[in-house]
Amino acid sequence: MPALLASLPASANDWLNKLAKQAANTAIQQTAKNLSATASAPSSAQSPAPTMASAAVSYPAPTAAPRAARMRFEDGTILYGDYLADYWSRPDASTRGATPDSDALGHVIGKPLSFGGSRKVVGTADMQRKLEAIFPRVLAHPALAGIRGSSLRPGGGFGHANGGPMRHATAGQATLLAYPIRLEDPETHKFPDGTFHSPGEGVVLRIGVNDTDELDGRTPLGTWNGMTVLRAGYMFVIPNTERPLYVRDASGRQVVNPNLIDVTRPRSDIQFMTVYVGTDSAEHNEVVRQRVLPTSGFGRLVGVLYNTDWRTLLREVNDIR
């Protein structure tokens, strides 16, 4: 599918290339250490059998990467999760975890999808088909295909973030929740196919359509790959309109364009899409310190956010009738 892996824009090449070189240097240094250790190690006949954790492919500690490599948006906001985005931009990125929990195969809870909200409004049936078509495209991303360490639950619904009646354009959401696997938790369920799901709280990828409430009260940080960036770099706005997202009001304050929605277009037409990856504040703090692994649930979803051609995906699903 052409929407799955986007080519990186020229504006992002510098920071991604710098991070890739740093990761390569780290790998070279680690290889040299491994060779030295192998020369002095006992023979394989004397070595103990590998444990599940040691047999898994591990990602070098993120704290080893120089902290100077940071992506900044036009307003100066730093994307602290740039190392996560960079990791999943590489064609040889390993999906394996470094511990039994993070290496356990995750279960994907498939249909029937749970869509909340009223379907009585004109356009919701057509919009649901479009939102449902997003999931197989996103789940095919290398960060999520054959996922380990997290289980995934797709879902969705209709309505506006701040409530109230449905406006002209049908507003809806497609959500993907990633739950970390805890093998020792007695409530963890193992499925016949060898995958696992642990109940609890997780991180979310939320894709919204036609909901101006998602834009209201937020200030654009800049642009990335032709998309407007909001919310500390973890939210994109993908337009399917020539109308500006934000305008200046009489006082000069930047506000959501009151005429953003074109009422002459069909209700189920996607006029703009938002994509957001969210987690709790504690994990955000760990991202700043580069302590969140790319193979974590949040790391994988950030990889999807920054390495998917959302504009093409929007066009593909919007053509569904």
Side-chain angles (χ1 to χ4, degrees), residues 34-56:
N34 291 341
L35 289 174
S36 176
T38 302
S40 59
S43 65
S44 58
Q46 298 172 322
S47 299
T51 63
M52 181 175 179
S54 64

Side-chain angles (χ1 to χ4, degrees), residues 127 130-131 133-134 137-138 172-174 206-212 214-215 227-228 230 235-241 245 260-261 269-276 308-318:
M127 185 61 80
K130 296 177 182 183
L131 293 174
I134 291 174
R137 289 165 166 79
V138 170
Q173 306 84 34
R206 187 173 71 245
I207 301 170
V209 294
N210 297 337
D211 189 1
T212 53
E214 292 283 5
L215 311 181
M227 299 174 289
T228 298
L230 306 173
M235 184 174 187
F236 293 159
V237 187
I238 306 95
N240 190 28
T241 176
L245 297 174
L260 175 58
I261 298 298
D269 204 17
I270 299 177
Q271 301 198 29
F272 71 92
M273 174 186 287
T274 57
V275 185
Y276 173 65
T308 297
D309 186 345
W310 295 109
R311 291 176 296 178
T312 299
L313 187 150
L314 188 161
R315 289 194 298 269
E316 287 179 354
V317 300
N318 198 42

Side-chain angles (χ1 to χ4, degrees), residues 38-180:
T38 302
S40 59
S43 65
S44 58
Q46 298 172 322
S47 299
T51 63
M52 181 175 179
S54 64
V57 178
S58 61
Y59 177 74
T63 50
R67 296 183 61 186
R70 294 299 186 197
M71 176 183 173
R72 290 180 182 268
F73 298 106
E74 285 94 322
D75 78 331
T77 297
I78 297 173
L79 174 64
Y80 288 102
D82 54 4
Y83 72 100
L84 303 172
D86 171 66
Y87 181 86
W88 290 109
S89 74
R90 306 173 195 173
D92 60 345
S94 173
T95 66
R96 302 296 299 270
T99 66
D101 285 352
S102 63
D103 201 48
L105 289 170
H107 187 71
V108 180
I109 303 170
K111 288 189 174 183
L113 296 178
S114 175
F115 268 80
S118 174
R119 295 177 180 79
K120 296 180 181 179
V121 179
V122 175
T124 53
D126 289 340
M127 185 61 80
Q128 181 165 335
R129 284 190 288 272
K130 296 177 182 183
L131 293 174
E132 288 177 338
I134 291 174
F135 292 113
R137 289 165 166 79
V138 170
L139 290 172
H141 190 285
L144 302 181
I147 188 170
R148 293 173 178 268
S150 300
S151 59
L152 300 171
R153 181 189 295 274
F158 298 102
H160 296 275
N162 295 339
M166 185 75 76
R167 298 153 206 168
H168 172 80
T170 304
Q173 306 84 34
T175 58
L176 190 65
L177 290 170
Y179 301 91

Side-chain angles (χ1 to χ4, degrees), residues 5-37:
L5 295 175
S7 59
L8 295 173
S11 61
N13 282 342
D14 289 343
W15 64 274
L16 287 181
N17 289 338
K18 189 173 182 181
L19 283 172
K21 289 177 181 177
Q22 291 158 356
N25 289 337
T26 300
I28 291 170
Q29 294 168 4
Q30 186 62 48
T31 299
K33 292 180 181 178
N34 291 341
L35 289 174
S36 176

